[in-house]
Amino acid sequence: MPKTSMKGKIVFITGASAGIGAATAMAFAAEGARLLLAARRSGKLAETAAQALELGAEAVHSFHLDVRNRNAVQRAIDELLPEWAEIDVLVNNAGLSRGLDKLYTGKPEDWDEMIDTNVKGLLYVTRAVVPGMVVRGRGHVINLGSMAGEIVYPNGAVYCGSKAAARAISDGLREDVLGTPVRVTSIDPGLVETEFSQVRFHGDAGRAAKVYQGLTPLTGEDIADAIVWAATRPGHVNIARISLSSIDQANTLLLHREE
Ligand code: NDP
Ligand code: 8X3
């Protein structure tokens, strides 16, 4: 069976203004896809859009979106122009961690942000996009899970819990679209050096840098490569999950660092 071509396909990436989302935009651009890019920081999103066009994207449409706002998510999808409405691939990438604290001293506002983004945001976008995929009889949902959804690490209960929920939601969606040609993939990386740790530590760049000190982390491009690989398998091949880490990471609890 032939590989699935991304040429001219509409790929919607949430959280495309940085990190894995921006790298994924570049990887699909190189395949000649048409890109729908969303995030909250419009300036950074415009930079991603311009680079994607240079790299070969057939067209790019980017728009401001906070995935936590259910009405805004539905409106954004409902208001897409006809030439953008038939989304082929949804990459549910928007997500974040906030804080690294014991559960009993953690900040409830950090919990809200993680759960509202990583769980409820992912659900809202999925709910807005997947009905069209089912009606059209084609589509692929690719959710960013994490190794953190596999094994919980100390001080990370809520982030890990949000990623365990994402994993369950991916599995549940795969069950619910069974009998349609819609595919569902969970991409579950270990440490990837992006803005992730700076966001986790509320802009503390020194603390963020320590997360990757003495090891070689994955890059956004490594994850984008796995995402495009999953999307380009022949249509009958459903990649359920890809768990990938740096050579210096065995799981969320066991890392190798050079002193
Ligand atoms: P970055 O912080 O570099 O990028 C996160 C992206 O998500 C940004 O584009 C940000 O854009 C967007 N985003 C955050 N909140 C919202 C929101 N409410 N609405 C819309 N967009 C939002 O992190 P990563 O690229 O590393 O993270 C991407 C995904 O990968 C996340 O789901 C993360 O949990 C997951 N992941 C990351 C790993 C890592 O080690 N880095 C490992 C495993 C999984 P903006 O601020 O402009 O809205
Ligand atoms: C991000 C990876 O281990 O920093 O999901 O939580 S980790």
Side-chain angles (χ1 to χ4, degrees), residues 40-41 68 95-103 105-118 153 155-160 162 195-204 207:
R40 295 166 301 175
R41 287 172 296 172
R68 295 171 298 178
L96 80 183
S97 65
R98 286 293 200 192
L100 192 64
D101 305 292
K102 289 189 187 300
L103 188 64
T105 58
K107 295 188 184 64
E109 51 274 26
D110 284 348
W111 305 344
D112 286 345
E113 204 175 346
M114 289 187 274
I115 291 169
D116 288 350
T117 311
N118 302 355
Y153 51 82
N155 304 315
V158 178
Y159 177 72
C160 295
S162 76
E195 294 180 5
F196 179 88
S197 293
Q198 291 196 38
V199 171
R200 163 166 262 172
F201 299 125
H202 297 275
D204 183 339
R207 196 170 171 201

Side-chain angles (χ1 to χ4, degrees), residues 14-22 38-42 44 65-68 92-97 113 117-118 144-148 159 163 187-197 199 212:
T14 66
S17 60
I20 294 168
R40 295 166 301 175
R41 287 172 296 172
S42 301
K44 292 204 66 165
L65 185 67
D66 186 334
V67 297
R68 295 171 298 178
N92 265 320
N93 165 77
L96 80 183
S97 65
E113 204 175 346
T117 311
N118 302 355
L144 263 294
S146 170
M147 276 188 139
Y159 177 72
K163 289 300 180 178
I187 303 287
D188 299 338
L191 292 176
V192 188
E193 191 165 12
T194 60
E195 294 180 5
F196 179 88
S197 293
V199 171
Y212 312 107

Side-chain angles (χ1 to χ4, degrees), residues 6 8 37 44 52 64 73 82 100 120 122 135 172 179 185 191 199 202 204-205 216:
M6 288 296 116
L37 306 178
K44 292 204 66 165
H64 175 276
V73 167
L100 192 64
K120 292 167 70 179
L122 181 148
V135 168
T185 299
L191 292 176
V199 171
H202 297 275
D204 183 339
T216 305

Side-chain angles (χ1 to χ4, degrees), residues 100-240:
L100 192 64
D101 305 292
K102 289 189 187 300
L103 188 64
Y104 59 89
T105 58
K107 295 188 184 64
E109 51 274 26
D110 284 348
W111 305 344
D112 286 345
E113 204 175 346
M114 289 187 274
I115 291 169
D116 288 350
T117 311
N118 302 355
V119 183
K120 292 167 70 179
L122 181 148
L123 284 171
Y124 297 155
V125 178
T126 302
R127 181 66 181 83
V129 172
V130 174
M133 290 180 167
V134 171
V135 168
R136 290 188 292 278
R138 65 174 201 274
H140 194 161
V141 180
I142 301 179
N143 291 334
L144 263 294
S146 170
M147 276 188 139
E150 299 165 7
I151 300 179
V152 182
Y153 51 82
N155 304 315
V158 178
Y159 177 72
C160 295
S162 76
K163 289 300 180 178
R167 181 186 181 130
I169 290 163
S170 295
D171 288 345
L173 180 63
R174 196 176 307 105
E175 293 172 357
D176 291 346
V177 294
L178 188 64
T180 80
V182 177
R183 302 189 284 176
V184 182
T185 299
S186 180
I187 303 287
D188 299 338
L191 292 176
V192 188
E193 191 165 12
T194 60
E195 294 180 5
F196 179 88
S197 293
Q198 291 196 38
V199 171
R200 163 166 262 172
F201 299 125
H202 297 275
D204 183 339
R207 196 170 171 201
K210 284 209 179 78
V211 172
Y212 312 107
Q213 205 168 301
L215 55 77
T216 305
L218 293 172
T219 64
E221 288 72 25
D222 295 325
I223 312 309
D225 192 36
I227 291 171
V228 170
W229 181 80
T232 52
R233 291 314 87 206
H236 70 290
V237 179
N238 205 5
I239 304 296

